Amino acid sequence: MTDKKPVVVVGAGPAGLIAATAAKKNGASKVILIDREKHAGGILNQCIHAGFGLTQFQEELTGTQYAKRVYDMAEAEGVEFIYDTTVLSIDENKVVTTVNQNGVTDIEAGAVVLCTGCRERSRAAIRIPGERPAGIYTAGLAQKLVNIAGMMPGKRVVILGSGDIGLIMARRLTLEGAVVCAVVEVMSRPGGLARNIAQCLDDFNIPLYLSHTITQIKGRKRVEGVTIAKVDDKMRPVSGTEFFIDCDTVLLSVGLIPENEIAQNAGVALNPVTNGLSVDENFMTTLKGVFGCGNALHVHDLVDNLAIESAKAGENAALFTLNGDFEKSEVQLKTDAHFGYIVPSRVSGTKPVRIQFRVREPHKNAIVQIGSFKKKIPFLQPNHMESVTVPAEVFKNEKEVTLCLNEN
Amino acid sequence: MSERELTCIICPNGCLLKIVTDNDGKIESVDGFKCRRGKEYAETEIVSPMRTLTALVKIDKGEFAMCPVRTTTPVPKDKIISLAQKALTLTVTAPVKTGDVVVKNFENTGADLIVCRDIDVCS
């Protein structure tokens, strides 16, 4: 029994490109990949720095080079692309409603894969006091301005947040001629990879202020400077530690939030902690035949890991159109307080599962345990998504299994 | 004899390398790497640090204003800002394809500067 309805993939960033390729490879009769931009590539189009595909292709590619690789693979596989088109909604029958210059079109899908990526957290969301001068950008927007439009956001920059995007932009702005005065991080540890601290900050002697935050942005029409203060262990500014940095630009790199309006409006369950999709071991959401992967599921550090997940999601979407539903995933996966989250949220217990998770604090040589399965992991860090393949027996006949961590 | 710690930048593992050098600055030992590339990185970093440069050149008639480029091999770390600034003075013309050579042996570094994105003519 072959369902002639297509697999529809929403979003042609790396997750969508890889999921679409896998869906076609695994027997889907037709795969349609929809993106609101005029090109595939998603966020990779503005990632002109290297560090992509090290594991997958054994080469250190730039984001744009990696995007081309996975786009070429999708094209070669016969994926059909629809650009400049926004998906407005999906319903419980997997009808995908789209809009573009030609009007509104409904596509009846046999399966849907949501690869809608994420958005940046804004100044409003973190409430930095001050007026509303020009010169305040989220790091990703600044990246787009510099790398695509050729516009510098300013001349003297302070960056709030030491996640990878903030670090990458510290380097990019320096290379393109700005002065990056400081990177300010509210936590006591950097948010991004150690290699990025080295090659983006240390290489250029850019100071990193850990356990500090911006308490005020000065300036009426244009940013004139920022007040920075140390914070205590509850992240509250400590009176008397304030100092002022003269600058005309503030970049905010304060978090990415999965973009799941389509899912939410369709009544699809989200993980309340991450705002990512809640999926089972097949990457299927709570809406049958609707799958999710990439940053819409959980925010990734490395595209190579996203590739593994997205290939599986695409494969399963194809299998769903060919064979119907999978074994019911009714075993709930939980974590103890050491972890931020776990993907998937539920499993069937009939096959091994590659679980993915993040810890809240760094741990050396800790043992992660789920049911009877244990694994010692030398270095666990919050900014490093971790994965472990767990045998099916661990979940069999259980209602709920908890991922725990034992310090050594 | 002195000891130096640095983070390897070759892959996302970011291994913490401990390098011991003698009084002449020659490397006596390297520890902390998980692969051969880490050891090689340490050896080069002490003597003559190199970095892959990713930069921007201008593009005429293209769909976007800027064309991302990279060096094909690493270039001296201490020249990296001036090399990026030099790239900004260059202009290519659309259409360009990933891999097109913008400049051979860019500023005598031995590395070519190549295009990293297919960019069509602006319609």
Side-chain angles (χ1 to χ4, degrees), chain B residues 103-115:
Chain B
V103 184
K104 254 195 125 33
N105 188 14
F106 182 49
E107 298 292 291
N108 262 316
T109 56
D112 295 342
L113 197 65
I114 61 170
V115 169

Side-chain angles (χ1 to χ4, degrees), chain A residues 39-40 45 48-51 54 60-62 64-65 68 146-151 171-172 174-177 193-195 198-199 202-204 302 379 381 384, chain B residues 7-14 34 37 45 51-56 63-70 77 80-81 84-85 88 98 114-118 120:
Chain A
H39 298 273
N45 290 333
I48 70 170
H49 55 283
L54 270 160
E60 200 189 18
L61 303 173
T62 69
T64 54
Q65 288 177 316
K68 180 169 167 63
V146 174
N147 296 346
I148 310 274
M151 296 185 206
R171 176 174 60 181
R172 181 52 51 201
T174 305
L175 290 175
E176 305 306 327
L193 297 170
R195 82 191 284 234
Q199 62 188 357
D202 297 342
D203 271 9
F204 303 104
L302 300 172
F379 290 106
Q381 297 169 78
H384 242 268
Chain B
T7 304
C8 178
I9 61 169
I10 298 295
C11 91
N13 279 333
K34 282 210 194 86
R37 291 184 299 171
E45 189 70 3
R51 296 287 183 266
T52 297
L53 172 66
T54 57
L56 292 162
E63 313 168 72
F64 326 108
M66 307 303 282
C67 173
V69 295
R70 71 174 295 162
K77 171 187 153 189
I80 208 155
I81 295 181
Q85 289 293 302
L88 275 178
T98 306
I114 61 170
V115 169
C116 289
R117 187 178 183 190
D118 291 359
D120 277 334

Side-chain angles (χ1 to χ4, degrees), chain A residues 240-294:
Chain A
T241 66
E242 297 93 349
F243 61 98
F244 186 77
I245 296 187
D246 214 307
C247 63
D248 63 12
T249 307
V250 179
L251 251 55
L252 301 174
S253 174
V254 294
L256 296 174
I257 306 168
E259 183 178 354
N260 282 312
E261 280 171 45
I262 294 171
Q264 216 156 8
N265 292 338
V268 170
L270 301 182
N271 178 329
V273 171
T274 63
N275 207 56
L277 297 162
S278 170
V279 297
D280 68 11
E281 63 193 5
N282 302 304
F283 295 102
M284 193 158 76
T285 66
T286 50
L287 183 49
K288 209 174 287 210
V290 175
F291 299 79
C293 58

Side-chain angles (χ1 to χ4, degrees), chain A residues 350-364:
Chain A
T350 61
K351 57 189 182 190
V353 181
R354 179 175 177 265
I355 62 169
Q356 302 181 81
F357 54 87
R358 282 188 197 273
V359 290
R360 289 189 199 276
E361 302 280 330
H363 297 277
K364 264 197 171 129

Side-chain angles (χ1 to χ4, degrees), chain A residues 141-388:
Chain A
L141 173 57
Q143 187 179 55
K144 191 168 189 175
L145 287 172
V146 174
N147 296 346
I148 310 274
M151 296 185 206
M152 286 298 278
K155 295 189 167 70
R156 286 181 59 84
V157 187
V158 169
I159 300 177
L160 180 63
S162 64
D164 288 319
I165 305 176
L167 300 178
I168 292 293
M169 281 313 288
R171 176 174 60 181
R172 181 52 51 201
L173 289 169
T174 305
L175 290 175
E176 305 306 327
V179 170
V180 178
C181 311
V183 174
V184 180
E185 169 59 55
V186 73
M187 304 295 274
S188 56
R189 289 177 310 269
L193 297 170
R195 82 191 284 234
N196 285 333
I197 299 288
Q199 62 188 357
C200 298
L201 299 189
D202 297 342
D203 271 9
F204 303 104
N205 295 316
I206 297 171
L208 170 63
Y209 294 98
L210 295 173
S211 302
H212 280 70
T213 196
I214 294 178
T215 56
Q216 179 101 8
I217 300 179
K218 183 172 183 227
R220 192 113 213 279
K221 288 205 157 133
R222 179 78 203 190
V223 171
E224 289 167 26
V226 294
T227 303
I228 294 173
K230 201 169 198 306
V231 298
D232 63 18
D233 54 9
K234 292 193 171 52
M235 298 204 285
R236 291 172 309 200
V238 177
S239 178
T241 66
E242 297 93 349
F243 61 98
F244 186 77
I245 296 187
D246 214 307
C247 63
D248 63 12
T249 307
V250 179
L251 251 55
L252 301 174
S253 174
V254 294
L256 296 174
I257 306 168
E259 183 178 354
N260 282 312
E261 280 171 45
I262 294 171
Q264 216 156 8
N265 292 338
V268 170
L270 301 182
N271 178 329
V273 171
T274 63
N275 207 56
L277 297 162
S278 170
V279 297
D280 68 11
E281 63 193 5
N282 302 304
F283 295 102
M284 193 158 76
T285 66
T286 50
L287 183 49
K288 209 174 287 210
V290 175
F291 299 79
C293 58
N295 279 354
L297 173 55
H298 53 162
V299 177
H300 288 259
D301 318 300
L302 300 172
V303 77
D304 303 70
N305 287 333
L306 177 150
I308 299 173
E309 162 184 297
S310 304
K312 248 317 162 186
E315 176 188 336
N316 291 336
L319 294 177
F320 182 87
T321 63
L322 298 171
N323 307 330
D325 207 353
F326 301 88
E327 296 283 346
K328 278 206 191 321
S329 281
E330 289 176 327
V331 182
Q332 304 299 317
L333 296 194
K334 301 257 184 270
T335 69
D336 73 13
H338 290 104
F339 301 91
Y341 72 85
I342 185 173
V343 166
S345 306
R346 48 196 175 277
V347 301
S348 66
T350 61
K351 57 189 182 190
V353 181
R354 179 175 177 265
I355 62 169
Q356 302 181 81
F357 54 87
R358 282 188 197 273
V359 290
R360 289 189 199 276
E361 302 280 330
H363 297 277
K364 264 197 171 129
N365 290 325
I367 297 173
V368 298
Q369 178 161 5
I370 181 160
S372 53
F373 179 83
K374 285 191 219 196
K375 185 168 183 196
K376 184 186 262 191
I377 302 182
F379 290 106
L380 281 167
Q381 297 169 78
N383 57 11
H384 242 268
M385 187 190 288
E386 197 65 49
S387 67
V388 167

Side-chain angles (χ1 to χ4, degrees), chain B residues 39-83:
Chain B
K39 183 159 188 282
E40 287 163 11
Y41 172 77
E43 285 158 3
T44 322
E45 189 70 3
I46 294 291
V47 173
S48 164
M50 308 287 273
R51 296 287 183 266
T52 297
L53 172 66
T54 57
L56 292 162
V57 301
K58 296 202 268 281
I59 179 164
D60 267 348
K61 303 195 174 76
E63 313 168 72
F64 326 108
M66 307 303 282
C67 173
V69 295
R70 71 174 295 162
T71 54
T72 46
T73 53
V75 297
K77 171 187 153 189
D78 57 9
K79 291 196 165 56
I80 208 155
I81 295 181
S82 63
L83 289 170

Side-chain angles (χ1 to χ4, degrees), chain A residues 20 24 29-34 74 78-82:
Chain A
K24 200 71 179 52
S29 54
K30 187 164 146 135
V31 177
I32 301 175
L33 181 47
I34 307 176
V79 169
E80 293 176 37
F81 295 88
I82 301 180

